[in-house]
Amino acid sequence: MNRPELWLTIVGMALVTFALRASFLLAADRLALPPLLRRSLTYVPPAVLAAIVAPAIAQPSGAALGPFDLRLLSGAIAGLVAWRTRSIVATFAAGMAALWGLTWLL
Amino acid sequence: MRLHPPSVLLGLRDVLPMLLGAAPFGLITGASAVAAGMAAVDVTLMSAAVFAGAAQIAAIALMSSGAAVWVVLLTTFMVNLRHLMYSAALAPALRGESLPARAAMGAVLVDHVYALASLRFGQGHPSLVRRDYVLAMGVPMWLTWTAATAVGAALGAQVPRSWQLDFAVPLMFLALLIPSIRNRPGLVAALTGGGLALALRGLPFNAGLVIAALSGIAAGTAAEGVATALARKGGR
């Protein structure tokens, strides 16, 4: 991605985000969410985040322990920590520590 | 514009612990953007303009894997759709404010600001000036986020490649994904979205991500329908 394209992306992201956040604050009288759409919005975070995470973690990195890629193993450990702690910092620390530890072992 | 000091102070007091949580997230975002090949100034501008951590991390990951602009924008839309719910939820309480004030509040309506505002508005403080309360949380949040990204990007540029800091990007998403799965339909949504994204990752421009996410949302909504129908049957 070249720089003008990158800036176009940033401006576009800013506009999309602002439109979503300000939508009802600016136009509550003219906007209404149908109930089905309102319910399906609840499932946006798990569906979207999983669709981003799965290919990123499963991508072969070239370093593996037997049949398991190091990043996949580290991701699994971080996932467990995320589940137990619900903390971004703890998940980050566990995942990076696992990746460094496994890389050092090999 | 006259400020109402007690409302500003209450906002500052409520947002302070949230700033401590946003700072490390911003640091990691800045550092991992640099690790993924972005210039420090670009990711800092991005934080100032977009002010949405999860969407930014997604965009950084997508751009470094060569995604098309429209895929990045559509992903931003989907990752930030939850803000539509926040906006709808707070709109009745903020109806009386001026148009510029509502626009300013919309610009800073991030997860934590929404959560605190809906809590405080629900408690019914008669003297609370809502505009001042919301902005007293949102503006420090925005400043902290932008500054933390800049510091993270500057520090990240010093980090050698062998530290594999680019792995921070999927880790951050994992940390956001796991708490977002609150029930079985949520798990169905995540498994469908994740599974399809894996199966379709060969598609050009990362278009598989969009298809997988939409299918996951549909699957979660359908699973909720099935769960509701079963519960109704069991209740009889």
Side-chain angles (χ1 to χ4, degrees):
Chain A
M1 196 173 267
N2 54 31
R3 235 151 174 216
E5 218 176 2
L6 171 67
W7 287 338
L8 177 75
T9 309
I10 291 177
V11 170
M13 289 176 71
L15 290 177
V16 166
T17 306
F18 178 73
L20 288 168
R21 283 180 182 153
S23 55
F24 280 88
L25 294 187
L26 294 178
D29 310 326
R30 277 160 284 156
L31 282 177
L33 278 185
L36 181 66
L37 191 61
R38 188 179 286 259
R39 270 193 289 134
S40 56
L41 283 180
T42 327
Y43 301 108
V44 169
V48 175
L49 296 175
I52 296 169
V53 165
I57 298 252
Q59 192 166 41
S61 67
L65 191 67
F68 302 109
D69 193 277
L70 291 193
R71 293 197 170 203
L72 190 64
L73 284 173
S74 310
I77 292 167
L80 268 177
V81 172
W83 180 46
R84 302 307 302 183
T85 66
R86 320 221 134 199
S87 150
I88 289 178
V89 174
T91 305
F92 170 76
M96 290 312 295
L99 185 62
W100 290 337
L102 288 168
T103 306
W104 181 77
L105 276 177
L106 279 178
Chain B
M1 188 174 103
R2 248 226 170 91
L3 290 177
H4 181 244
S7 301
V8 172
L9 279 178
L10 185 66
L12 291 175
R13 211 185 68 192
D14 280 354
V15 83
L16 190 65
M18 301 295 178
L19 299 182
L20 300 179
F25 190 20
L27 284 173
I28 302 170
T29 302
S32 53
V34 170
M38 238 176 131
V41 58
D42 290 342
V43 67
T44 306
L45 281 175
M46 187 194 231
S47 275
V50 182
F51 189 25
Q56 287 178 231
I57 300 260
I60 291 161
L62 285 172
M63 289 190 296
S64 74
S65 73
V69 175
W70 70 268
V71 172
V72 178
L73 294 183
L74 201 56
T75 304
T76 303
F77 177 79
M78 288 191 294
V79 172
N80 283 337
L81 253 182
R82 65 188 190 284
H83 293 110
L84 197 68
M85 292 189 284
Y86 303 164
S87 195
L90 291 188
L94 300 172
R95 188 163 285 185
E97 305 292 350
S98 71
L99 194 69
R102 279 181 283 149
M105 288 187 286
V108 296
L109 192 58
V110 295
D111 302 80
H112 304 93
V113 171
Y114 159 74
L116 288 165
S118 73
L119 188 72
R120 288 290 184 197
F121 293 175
Q123 290 170 342
H125 296 270
S127 63
L128 185 73
V129 176
R130 290 169 172 172
R131 177 198 65 194
D132 293 358
Y133 176 69
V134 170
L135 292 178
M137 292 193 291
V139 174
M141 217 42 198
W142 177 73
L143 289 172
T144 304
W145 175 247
T146 306
T149 308
V151 173
L155 293 176
Q158 315 294 319
V159 171
R161 272 195 91 72
S162 60
W163 286 26
Q164 308 189 67
L165 207 58
D166 57 306
F167 191 53
V169 175
L171 285 178
M172 304 274 278
F173 272 108
L174 205 54
L176 297 168
L177 164 68
I178 303 290
S180 81
I181 303 171
R182 297 216 183 86
N183 47 28
R184 284 198 190 162
L187 186 62
V188 170
L191 291 176
T192 309
L196 271 180
L198 271 183
L200 301 176
R201 68 181 140 163
L203 289 187
F205 313 119
N206 282 340
L209 166 65
V210 177
I211 300 168
L214 291 175
S215 309
I217 296 164
T221 312
E224 187 196 271
V226 171
T228 313
L230 284 179
R232 209 171 281 154
K233 220 180 202 173
R236 257 176 218 158

